[in-house]
């Protein structure tokens, strides 16, 4: 053997050893070892080869280092199609950039197409995925099982799914187990449970693999069939398949969807002896289960058992907190803790924490999050993040900013329209909301049931009865949308607000659901507004019959009696509530100033500056009376309406919060007050006059909607 041959063989062996170690580092996710190998490669002054450079790019791809992969690619002497495919895989999380890189490949092969197809699938870009598949067939490229699997993963429409299934059968590609597994998952996402079951059953024991069982269990979870998922899990074990973290997470997801806490807890108990509860994937399922079932403390315990939580587990915890308004602060704290732990928030992180921030309606927190979203430059799923920001701004009383964000979005979907239409409706901009809905109908986006809830609500707050009926009837007839109880509730509310009580009551009796309190509740609120005592009492009794522990119905009925001066009847209702242990939710209002939230309740005594607030209101009351304000003592609910009643009205929580805001902000600066219950009629009239006297814009968000007070009028047009 010549010396040159020996050197060549030695170099080849060293090169192979280097690639083997680099591959092992990538498989283990060991960035430090990979970086050390790269440094060694650079310092050794090894003549650059395409083979070595390709594996370095591939290493960056597997460890999600797209910028470094691009730099290494640019330094390559002679990149080949493998080089381009490795670079393409590194940028698969950004379909737009991946498309640009794909266009630069001189002669793309099947792997190139499959990589871009997978990028489209992960981003849910069904149309792009199908166009790329058609292009592959047009150019005569050999479509394989991975191609079809990626295409199936991308589509959501039933027609496209059926077409792809037929193509797989005709082309013989359904023989690939990966294709059948993707069909099971695809049918599951498309809510076609029977079709998914058929694919799974037809596979037979000889074809099914571990992933097949996991896919079918996950489909049962998506449909809320917790027990069936558990039975399949047990059947899987009997047939010799060992459960892994993915299997257990799918079963727990099924229990979470079905909100079956008992079954989920039983499985948790069985897992405690194993090490699975410390697995981040399984822990995510446990956190999701407990959070959705209302056991938030147990969700935290399941999270705390994991030594090294990953980003998905952090997101699940934040999402779980965001489901409960009382734990919204914990969601924000967990988000910050996640960042301190070294994790960069992704699109899911932002959607979850923005949802939590929406619950507490904090403008300062919202603006901070928006700034962080912009700095983070989220590449994937930007639409969901922007949709969440629209909802956040709307709930913080900044509907103008929400509309600006909507107008600037380069890409929108149905949720985008739903979010802004709901925001405009809540702020009293009903005409603009309905106009935007008409624009949506003329676009490519189909309305959903959620869309019509906002549309009917907009009609209800503007008295558009005829338009409301048209929209209500068109849901099933024109758009094939099944009406739910919320749609009926909005329509009943619309009719009752317009004093069409007989039509509202008739619609309640025609509701195609088992009797519930939701329709009567909508009717009761309007009865109180219009003083229809007889129908209001009947509505309240129907609610209490169907839901005996419903505190709001008892309170509204008691207040109606008190407003009408029927103190004995009001006292009987209050006594009945005490006897049954039904407690009224205390009313409170709060205002955020300088990132500090100040909370007030009626007749507040604990706030350190409450005496100043009372003195301010005394002075303001005299100015208001000169401007024509007359206290509406019917809302005081006090027998001594002349003295005690007026004092009670003056110390309602929303008046205290407004007064504190006026005292501690600059002249002309708008203020925002939040209230957990519905604003009372006297406070509504008083704040209108205060806005005129102080020349301030005052926004009050109550439990139903936003009231924008300016120059003595309100955005609701006194129709709320």
């Amino acid at each position: 053997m010549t010396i040159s041959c020996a050197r060549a063989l030695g170099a080849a062996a060293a090169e192979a050893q280097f690639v083997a170690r680099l591959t092992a580092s990538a498989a283990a996710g060991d960035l430090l070892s990979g970086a050390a190998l790269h440094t060694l490669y650079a310092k050794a002054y090894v003549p650059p080869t395409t083979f070595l450079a390709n594996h370095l790019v591939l290493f960056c791809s597997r460890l999600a280092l797209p910028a470094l992969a691009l730099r290494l690619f640019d330094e390559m002497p002679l990149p080949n199609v493998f080089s381009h495919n490795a670079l393409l895989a590194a940028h698969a999380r950004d379909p737009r950039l991946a498309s640009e890189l794909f266009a630069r490949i001189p002669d793309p092969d099947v792997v190139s197409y499959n990589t871009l197809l997978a990028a489209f699938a992960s981003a849910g870009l069904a149309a792009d995925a199908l166009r790329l598949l058609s292009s592959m067939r047009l150019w005569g490229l050999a479509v394989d099982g991975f191609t079809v699997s990626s295409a199936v993963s991308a589509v959501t429409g039933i027609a496209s799914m059926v077409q792809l299934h037929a193509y797989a059968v005709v082309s013989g590609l359904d023989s690939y187990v990966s294709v059948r597994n993707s069909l099971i998952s695809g049918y599951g996402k498309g809510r076609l449970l029977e079709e998914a079951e058929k694919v799974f059953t037809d596979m037979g024991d000889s074809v099914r693999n571990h992933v097949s069982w996991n896919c079918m269990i996950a489909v049962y979870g998506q449909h809320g069939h917790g027990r069936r998922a558990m039975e399949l899990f047990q059947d899987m074990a009997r047939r010799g398949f060992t459960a892994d973290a993915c299997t257990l997470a799918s079963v727990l997801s099924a229990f979470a969807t079905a909100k079956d806490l008992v079954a989920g807890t039983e499985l948790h108990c069985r897992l405690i002896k194993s090490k699975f509860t410390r697995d981040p994937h399984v822990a995510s399922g446990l956190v999701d289960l407990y959070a959705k079932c209302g056991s938030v403390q147990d969700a935290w315990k399941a999270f705390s058992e994991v030594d090294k939580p990953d980003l998905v587990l952090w997101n699940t915890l934040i999402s779980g907190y965001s489901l409960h308004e009382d734990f919204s602060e914990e969601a924000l704290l967990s988000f910050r803790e996640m960042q301190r732990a070294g994790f960069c928030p992704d699109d899911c992180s932002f959607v979850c924490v923005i949802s939590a921030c929406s619950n507490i309606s904090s403008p300062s927190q919202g603006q901070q999050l928006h700034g962080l979203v912009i700095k983070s430059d989220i590449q994937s799923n930007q639409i969901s993040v922007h949709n969440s920001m629209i909802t956040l701004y709307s709930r913080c009383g900044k509907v103008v900013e929400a509309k600006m964000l909507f107008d600037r979005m380069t890409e929108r979907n149905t949720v985008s329209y739903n979010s802004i239409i709901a925001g405009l409706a809540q702020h009293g901009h009903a005409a603009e909301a309905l106009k935007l809905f008409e624009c949506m109908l003329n676009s490519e986006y189909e309305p959903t049931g959620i869309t019509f809830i906002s549309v009917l609500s907009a009609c209800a707050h503007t008295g558009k009865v005829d338009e409301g009926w048209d929209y209500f009837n068109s849901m099933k007839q024109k758009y094939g949308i099944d009406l739910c109880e919320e749609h009926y509730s909005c329509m009943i509310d619309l009719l009752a607000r317009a004093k069409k009580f007989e039509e509202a009551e008739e619609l309640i009796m025609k509701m195609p659901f088992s009797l519930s309190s939701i329709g009567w509740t909508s009717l009761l609120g309007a009865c109180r507004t219009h003083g229809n005592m007889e129908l209001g009492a009947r509505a309240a009794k129907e609610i209490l019959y169907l839901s005996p522990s419903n505190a709001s119905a008892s309170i509204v009925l008691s207040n109606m009696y008190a407003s009408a001066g029927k103190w004995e009847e009001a006292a009987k209702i209050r006594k009945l509530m005490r006897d049954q242990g039904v407690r009224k939710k205390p009313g409170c209002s709060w205002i955020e100033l300088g990132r500090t939230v100040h909370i007030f309740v009626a007749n507040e005594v604990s706030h350190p500056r409450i005496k100043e607030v009372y003195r301010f209101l005394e002075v303001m009351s005299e100015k208001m009376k000169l401007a024509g304000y007359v206290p509406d003592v019917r809302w005081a609910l006090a027998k001594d309406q002349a003295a005690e009643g007026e004092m009670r009205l003056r110390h309602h929580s929303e008046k205290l919060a407004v007064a504190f805001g006026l005292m501690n902000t600059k002249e002309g600066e708008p203020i925002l007050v939040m209230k957990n219950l519905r604003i009372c009629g006297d406070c509504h009239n008083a704040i209108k006059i205060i806005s005129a006297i102080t020349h301030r814009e005052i926004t009050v968000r109550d439990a139903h909607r936003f009231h924008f007070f300016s120059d003595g009028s309100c955005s609701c047009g006194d129709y709320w």
Side-chain angles (χ1 to χ4, degrees), residues 289-349:
L289 166 72
Y290 286 123
K292 286 180 177 175
C293 293
S295 301
V296 184
Q297 296 297 340
D298 290 326
W300 160 249
K301 289 178 183 176
F303 173 87
S304 62
E305 289 180 2
V306 180
D307 296 326
K308 295 182 178 179
D310 58 11
L311 181 61
V312 174
L313 182 53
W314 277 107
N315 287 346
T316 306
L317 179 67
I318 296 168
S319 174
Y321 280 141
S322 71
L323 295 174
H324 307 275
E325 286 194 25
D326 294 341
F327 289 90
S328 297
E329 289 286 353
E330 283 78 359
L332 292 170
L333 292 173
S334 296
F335 180 77
R336 297 189 188 103
E337 188 65 29
M338 180 190 79
Q339 290 178 291
R340 283 192 287 269
F343 291 96
C344 293
D346 62 3
D347 56 299
C348 183
S349 311

Side-chain angles (χ1 to χ4, degrees), residues 421-653:
I421 290 171
L424 291 169
Q426 285 181 328
H427 283 77
H429 303 301
E432 192 174 357
L434 296 176
K435 182 180 179 181
L436 200 58
F437 175 63
E438 294 298 330
C439 291
M440 180 183 182
L441 297 181
N442 295 326
S443 68
E444 59 183 300
Y445 306 107
E446 285 286 327
T448 64
I450 295 174
T451 316
F452 279 99
I453 290 173
S454 299
V455 169
L456 291 173
S457 176
C459 292
H461 287 103
T462 50
K464 297 181 181 293
V465 177
D466 293 336
E467 291 89 338
W469 272 123
D470 289 340
Y471 291 132
F472 184 78
N473 293 326
S474 71
M475 287 179 61
K476 185 66 176 178
Q477 297 171 3
K478 190 173 181 179
Y479 301 103
I481 299 173
D482 292 327
L483 284 82
C484 68
E485 287 185 288
E486 283 194 81
H487 298 122
Y488 277 90
S489 175
C490 290
M491 196 63 212
I492 292 163
D493 186 40
L494 167 58
L495 294 170
R497 287 174 184 273
K499 297 184 181 181
K500 296 182 179 294
F501 295 112
E502 290 184 6
E503 289 184 46
E505 193 171 2
E506 184 180 347
L507 188 58
I508 291 173
M509 305 311 296
K510 287 183 178 179
M511 287 174 64
F513 310 102
S514 56
L515 280 176
S516 69
S517 61
I518 189 167
W520 292 108
T521 301
S522 300
L523 186 61
L524 177 60
C527 286
R528 183 188 179 184
T529 301
H530 295 297
N532 192 328
M533 179 68 67
E534 182 181 348
L535 183 56
R538 191 161 76 252
K541 289 174 183 176
E542 290 286 350
I543 295 168
L544 294 173
Y545 173 76
L546 296 167
S547 180
S549 60
N550 191 313
S552 60
S554 300
I555 293 164
V556 171
L557 182 59
S558 172
N559 291 346
M560 287 179 70
Y561 282 134
S563 298
K566 298 184 177 181
W567 300 107
E568 291 184 7
E569 288 85 347
K572 288 178 182 178
I573 298 295
R574 296 283 179 173
K575 183 178 184 302
L576 184 62
M577 288 175 63
R578 288 194 298 271
D579 294 342
Q580 293 179 344
V582 177
R583 296 177 60 85
K584 175 187 176 183
K585 184 178 181 180
C588 68
S589 301
W590 61 96
I591 183 170
E592 182 181 13
L593 298 174
R595 299 186 184 179
T596 301
V597 177
H598 299 268
I599 303 174
F600 298 89
V601 297
N603 300 303
E604 174 69 69
V605 294
S606 60
H607 195 279
R609 297 181 60 191
I610 193 62
K611 290 184 179 179
E612 296 177 52
V613 175
Y614 284 158
R615 285 196 293 270
F616 181 89
L617 279 175
E618 286 179 11
V619 175
M620 183 59 66
S621 294
E622 296 303 319
K623 294 180 180 178
M624 290 162 61
K625 288 177 181 178
L626 291 175
Y629 166 69
V630 178
D632 190 347
V633 291
R634 292 177 302 169
W635 295 92
L637 309 178
K639 288 186 178 181
D640 186 3
Q641 295 185 350
E644 182 188 356
E646 186 174 339
M647 184 61 68
R648 281 194 182 187
L649 289 175
R650 188 184 301 171
H651 295 167
H652 275 190
S653 67

